[in-house]
Amino acid sequence: RYALPKEYEAMVRGMPSHEALARLRRGVWLPGETRLTAPAVVRVLGTREGDTLLALQIHEGRNRQVRRMFETVGHQVVWLRRVRLGPLSLGALSTGAWRLLTADEVAALRRATGGQ
């Protein structure tokens, strides 16, 4: 609703070409959708055994959007995790774990969404 940037780390099969990354940066047509995705910020973080680790930042939140974006440019997602939402970073929090937000984090979220 507030279009906060969401950052993900994704391990994809293969190595996306420069053109595939450029398509993500321009926005792609997802199957069954009537409009392009908003442009994404994409960075290659590394490779491992034929797979590529990428950082992808978007501000939309369509259903399974990140997976669908990579599939559209020809790369299956092996694993995916959101590492940042607006001003909040995942940090060292392990899978399935949670914690209460600090007062500073709540204030940062409020500022990011135009709240009080």
Side-chain angles (χ1 to χ4, degrees):
R1 164 176 167 171
Y2 296 104
L4 291 175
K6 294 169 252 326
E7 186 171 338
Y8 297 85
E9 288 181 353
M11 182 70 73
V12 301
R13 293 271 183 239
M15 176 63 175
S17 66
H18 292 291
E19 177 54 31
L21 297 175
R23 286 179 62 199
L24 293 170
R25 290 177 181 129
R26 288 189 307 261
V28 295
W29 288 101
L30 299 177
E33 298 278 339
T34 58
R35 60 187 168 90
L36 281 171
T37 63
V41 177
V42 186
R43 296 184 332 268
V44 176
L45 300 177
T47 60
R48 184 181 73 199
E49 299 173 13
D51 295 338
T52 304
L53 179 62
L54 299 137
L56 179 92
Q57 182 180 314
I58 60 174
H59 66 265
E60 297 175 300
R62 300 184 201 183
N63 185 39
R64 297 175 54 86
Q65 180 174 345
V66 173
R67 289 181 188 278
R68 293 168 60 208
M69 288 174 73
F70 281 116
E71 287 169 7
T72 297
V73 297
H75 293 276
Q76 177 187 7
V77 174
V78 177
W79 61 259
L80 174 69
R81 70 178 179 163
R82 186 165 53 199
V83 296
R84 189 172 59 83
L85 173 64
L88 305 179
S89 293
L90 178 64
L93 201 60
S94 60
T95 301
W98 64 275
R99 65 173 179 76
L100 296 174
L101 297 177
T102 66
D104 287 343
E105 289 170 328
V106 171
L109 268 177
R110 286 191 173 134
R111 281 190 304 276
T113 60
Q116 302 281 337

